Amino acid sequence: MQIDPLPASFSNLPTDIFNLPKYEEIELKKPHLDYWKIILFKTLIFSLLLVIGAACLIFFNTDLQPFWIYISAALAVFFPLLFWLKKAGFNKRGYAMRTHDVIYKQGLIQQETTIIPLNRIQHIELNEGLLERYFKLAALQIFTAGGQTGHLNIEGIPVEEAKSIRDLILHKMEKLPKPTAS
């Protein structure tokens, strides 16, 4: 087996990582404020179901009836904490479109920043649920070849903006060279 010599123009110079562009410096666009109303509504429904479940459990289980005050106190502490965590997590979300990639950041306790190169996107969906349609919001779901970990779901975008982003990504995807398997 003979190894082909490297072309004369090949170079592999070291890169100064401190001079690379920093994604942290990109100003991220926040979800629309009406998306907070959707999160709030869904959290209220969850809370209501939890209270009904706890009430049924206490009412039908006589062994738990003496502890109703403790269960109520635990729920009284849990719900404000839950709403605070949801609001703080909402405030940490953001997205940005760049020339060659999409950035999405989320998370309060565990912060995640996902950067997907446009040439890795396989397809993109625009989703609108019942509440989202009422508030004229949408979610962009971006799929890559990376399986479940490669998917990105950006929620709380105004519908017209989501359509524009989808069309922009599709347009850029047509112009970018697709990666080849080696």
Side-chain angles (χ1 to χ4, degrees), residues 33 36 39 82-92 108:
L33 286 176
W36 168 243
I39 292 172
L82 175 66
F83 283 98
W84 178 81
L85 287 172
K86 292 282 187 177
K87 180 65 174 169
F90 172 78
N91 291 335
K92 292 286 187 177
L108 178 64

Side-chain angles (χ1 to χ4, degrees), residues 116 121-127 138-144 148 150-155 157 162 166 169:
I116 296 181
I121 296 175
Q122 293 204 327
H123 72 279
I124 184 168
E125 291 180 6
L126 189 129
N127 298 315
L140 278 176
Q141 196 166 11
I142 299 171
F143 297 89
T144 66
Q148 285 292 52
H151 299 340
L152 181 63
N153 192 28
I154 305 172
E155 299 174 308
I157 306 173
R166 180 198 59 199
I169 290 173

Side-chain angles (χ1 to χ4, degrees), residues 32-138:
H32 195 276
L33 286 176
D34 283 341
Y35 184 59
W36 168 243
K37 295 175 186 176
I38 294 171
I39 292 172
L40 189 62
F41 180 77
K42 289 178 179 180
T43 305
L44 284 171
I45 295 297
F46 169 77
S47 300
L48 183 63
L49 292 174
L50 192 61
V51 166
I52 291 170
C56 288
L57 192 63
I58 292 169
F59 183 76
F60 292 113
N61 189 340
T62 55
D63 293 338
L64 290 178
Q65 287 176 355
F67 301 106
W68 72 271
I69 192 78
Y70 300 113
I71 295 171
S72 300
L75 291 175
V77 170
F78 174 73
F79 290 132
L81 182 62
L82 175 66
F83 283 98
W84 178 81
L85 287 172
K86 292 282 187 177
K87 180 65 174 169
F90 172 78
N91 291 335
K92 292 286 187 177
R93 294 179 187 213
Y95 62 94
M97 285 289 308
R98 296 195 302 178
T99 307
H100 299 288
D101 55 32
V102 178
I103 300 173
Y104 182 62
K105 185 176 181 179
Q106 68 176 352
L108 178 64
I109 297 169
Q110 178 181 335
Q111 292 185 355
E112 289 180 18
T113 301
T114 305
I115 303 173
I116 296 181
L118 295 181
N119 65 350
R120 297 288 182 187
I121 296 175
Q122 293 204 327
H123 72 279
I124 184 168
E125 291 180 6
L126 189 129
N127 298 315
E128 299 174 70
L130 181 64
L131 290 173
E132 287 82 0
R133 280 195 306 271
Y134 178 78
F135 288 108
K136 295 179 177 59
L137 298 176

